[in-house]
Amino acid sequence: NVRSYKLWKNYPSRVTIDAENNGWYENMNDLQGTNGIFFIGEMLSQLSVHSVIDWLDKKLPQFVDIMQN
C-alpha cells in the first residue's frame, strides 16, 4: 500500500518538443565551458546510466581541452 507520494512537476526531466525544435540542445552545447561552467546530467544525456557514460565519453575531452587553455 502506498502511504504517501510526491509528484514532481518537472520529472522526469525532459526537453519539450518545442524547445528541442528551437535548438535547445545546440544552445546548451554552445554554452559549454563559458566562464568555466559545464552542464552535465540527464537533460543533456537522457535518463539511463549507459547514455550518461556515453555522453561523458564524448564530451569530457572537450571539457578538459577548454579548461587547459
Side-chain angles (χ1 to χ4, degrees):
N1 294 335
V2 176
R3 291 180 177 242
S4 67
Y5 69 94
K6 173 74 176 170
L7 178 61
W8 298 96
K9 183 177 181 181
N10 295 322
Y11 188 84
S13 300
R14 61 189 177 277
V15 177
T16 65
I17 292 171
D18 288 338
E20 188 171 345
N21 288 338
N22 288 316
W24 191 92
Y25 289 102
E26 292 81 2
N27 293 336
M28 287 301 296
N29 192 53
D30 290 345
L31 289 173
Q32 295 291 15
T34 301
N35 297 320
I37 299 171
F38 297 92
F39 302 92
I40 62 171
E42 66 184 45
M43 289 293 291
L44 299 169
S45 60
Q46 306 305 319
L47 297 174
S48 73
V49 172
H50 181 274
S51 59
V52 170
I53 291 170
D54 184 55
W55 186 86
L56 284 172
D57 281 344
K58 292 176 184 172
K59 294 295 182 179
L60 196 56
Q62 173 190 354
F63 300 162
V64 171
D65 287 344
I66 291 170
M67 294 302 292
Q68 290 178 346
N69 293 326

